[in-house]
Amino acid sequence: MKLVCTQSDLSTNLSLVSRAVPSRPTHPVLANVLLQADAQTNQVSLTAFDLSLGIRTSFNAEVLEGGAIALPAKLLVDITSRLPEGEVTLDDQSSLQSETDAEGLSVTLTPKSGHFQVRAMGAEEFPELPIIDKAEPIQISTASLIEGLRGSLFATSSDETKQVLTGVHLTVKEDTLEFAATDGHRLAVVETTNDSPLGDHHQLEVTVPARALRELQRMLGHNAVSDDAIALYLDQGQVVFAWQNQRLTSRTLDGQYPAYRQLIPRQFERELTIERKQLISTLERIAVLADQKNHIVKVSINSAAQEITLSCEAQDVGSGRESIPAQISGENLEIAFNIRYLMEGLKELPSSEVQVHLNQALTPVIFTPLGGLKMTYLAMPVQLRN
């Protein structure tokens, strides 16, 4: 195998796939990336797989001789990221290979100055990425997928004992995609349009680990978003996202996802409209004190003055309060939140103004953007101790 590619292509694609390399591999070959070079198409593909998450990316190169080999991921990333810009030659039959390496495979990297030799393993030892042949792919709009992930991923749980909550629940309908994520204290639901036909399916539902979707988000952000749809393949216990020459495969999460629609109240006693960035910047200032003690911010709604007051008391440290204007309908109320949940949700609502719908001090509060994306963010208040 012999190929010539640019340092930036090799380094960028290696950094993308290497995120699927396990930190403690159960088998030595899993610490490698599989490099495959095709002389006919002049394409080089890199694959990493930890037996749960698999990532494959491809890029153009001058492939002088095709072949495949498994290379140590961390070492390769560390070397290529430090190489000077310009062309790099990879050769696994280099005459520079020493006699001491003759019994094992190695690859030589030759940038414009010097060369690096890296021990390798045979490609046949690398596990195959799951392929779903039988299932018909569902086409998903790239822009809709990016929108949905941005508005839901932040609300997933990091508690591994609640496995199903560590993922995003994706519902694919005839003309919409619905993304839902909850950690038990808050809930984010995003609905985006999807014009692709579902074929024989009425609708499909799957819960995908947040870790896999964060990598998908990163890959989609790296590739210039095209109008091309992403093919979603779904089979028992496995989901595959494929587009252009890229592929991400992941195990799905087992278990019944909570009936989250039932958690969202339908009627409200109070409604507020607030300028989003002003609310976030005020919360950021109050958070300096809230972080000192209990992460709690108190929100006082004053209907007569048409303003809300945010306050925080950190015992033995100090206190802070700040008022901002709001359009308020309904009676006065004092309510408290975990400030982190409030800020994270508000940062993902894609509009200049947000609407806040609420009932009592301890009932769920709903935040929605005014216009634009159809997103619902539910946050549970916390009880104030007198």
Side-chain angles (χ1 to χ4, degrees):
M1 181 190 75
K2 187 172 184 179
L3 64 97
V4 181
C5 64
T6 66
Q7 179 271 342
S8 61
D9 279 347
L10 184 59
S11 180
T12 302
N13 284 279
L14 270 171
S15 66
L16 279 175
V17 298
S18 65
R19 301 179 71 88
V21 176
S23 52
R24 294 187 183 86
T26 52
H27 191 280
V29 76
L30 297 179
N32 290 259
V33 290
L34 177 66
L35 186 148
Q36 295 164 297
D38 190 323
Q40 288 185 314
T41 60
N42 275 316
Q43 282 272 310
V44 173
S45 75
L46 296 169
T47 306
F49 189 29
D50 66 4
L51 302 182
S52 176
L53 171 68
I55 297 175
R56 175 172 291 160
T57 70
S58 302
F59 59 95
N60 293 320
E62 185 186 355
V63 181
L64 304 168
E65 196 177 320
I69 198 160
L71 297 162
K74 187 178 185 311
L75 185 60
L76 204 58
V77 168
D78 288 348
I79 292 172
T80 54
S81 63
R82 289 167 174 80
L83 291 178
E85 286 184 16
E87 289 189 341
V88 180
T89 303
L90 274 81
D91 189 350
D92 70 349
Q93 296 172 341
S94 173
S95 57
L96 294 165
Q97 189 166 320
S98 68
E99 287 180 18
T100 55
D101 283 333
E103 77 277 10
L105 291 168
S106 70
V107 165
T108 303
L109 280 79
T110 313
K112 54 187 174 186
S113 58
H115 75 272
F116 297 84
Q117 202 165 343
V118 176
R119 280 290 186 95
M121 296 177 77
E124 66 281 354
E125 295 186 53
F126 200 87
E128 284 280 333
L129 277 191
I131 298 170
I132 300 173
D133 289 325
K134 302 181 295 252
E136 275 290 310
I138 295 161
Q139 302 299 323
I140 291 179
S141 147
T142 306
S144 295
L145 187 57
I146 290 170
E147 254 183 357
L149 292 177
R150 189 186 297 134
S152 60
L153 266 171
F154 73 96
T156 55
S157 175
S158 55
D159 184 355
E160 290 297 330
T161 61
K162 302 172 185 168
Q163 266 256 297
V164 76
L165 301 187
T166 62
V168 172
H169 191 70
L170 174 62
T171 306
V172 186
K173 303 176 188 176
E174 191 65 56
D175 52 1
T176 58
L177 294 175
E178 189 168 280
F179 302 77
T182 179
D183 61 4
H185 303 285
R186 50 161 173 199
L187 164 70
V189 182
V190 181
E191 204 174 281
T192 64
T193 55
N194 189 50
D195 303 324
S196 303
L198 277 180
D200 299 335
H201 309 285
H202 174 59
Q203 74 172 42
L204 281 173
E205 295 187 50
V206 61
T207 309
V208 186
R211 179 187 168 222
L213 292 175
R214 285 194 185 98
E215 298 312 325
L216 178 63
Q217 189 179 41
R218 189 175 277 107
M219 289 170 77
L220 292 172
H222 164 68
N223 295 300
V225 177
S226 68
D227 294 332
D228 294 346
I230 290 172
L232 167 68
Y233 297 85
L234 190 59
D235 202 7
Q236 280 191 319
Q238 203 71 42
V239 63
V240 176
F241 296 89
W243 70 101
Q244 294 167 355
N245 296 313
Q246 320 296 318
R247 175 180 286 260
L248 181 140
T249 172
S250 171
R251 285 184 181 161
T252 58
L253 291 172
D254 295 329
Q256 185 70 38
Y257 202 79
Y260 55 88
R261 282 278 170 201
Q262 296 172 15
L263 304 174
I264 303 171
R266 295 277 168 248
Q267 293 180 308
F268 301 95
E269 297 168 14
R270 297 166 177 83
E271 188 179 291
L272 289 70
T273 304
I274 310 172
E275 207 278 311
R276 186 179 71 96
K277 284 187 178 171
Q278 187 180 14
L279 179 55
I280 291 171
S281 58
T282 305
L283 282 167
E284 283 172 341
R285 290 189 286 274
I286 294 289
V288 174
L289 280 160
D291 287 347
Q292 301 291 321
K293 204 72 185 169
N294 56 9
H295 309 288
I296 302 298
V297 61
K298 187 166 82 173
V299 181
S300 302
I301 298 167
N302 188 328
S303 187
Q306 289 288 294
E307 67 177 19
I308 64 167
T309 301
L310 308 177
S311 60
C312 171
E313 302 226 3
Q315 203 174 0
D316 305 328
V317 177
S319 63
R321 60 188 289 119
E322 195 169 331
S323 298
I324 56 173
Q327 295 172 36
I328 301 167
S329 65
E331 296 177 4
N332 295 353
L333 184 71
E334 285 201 345
I335 193 167
F337 296 94
N338 178 313
I339 198 162
R340 182 173 70 86
Y341 289 161
L342 214 50
M343 285 168 63
E344 286 180 357
L346 287 164
K347 284 177 179 176
E348 300 306 332
L349 288 165
S351 64
S352 57
E353 290 185 307
V354 292
Q355 283 192 320
V356 188
H357 306 268
L358 64 163
N359 288 312
Q360 300 300 320
L362 292 174
T363 57
V365 179
I366 303 296
F367 298 82
T368 54
L370 202 60
L373 185 67
K374 198 171 177 184
M375 177 174 171
T376 302
Y377 181 60
L378 179 154
M380 288 302 298
V382 295
Q383 190 159 12
L384 283 169
R385 291 186 180 88
N386 295 323

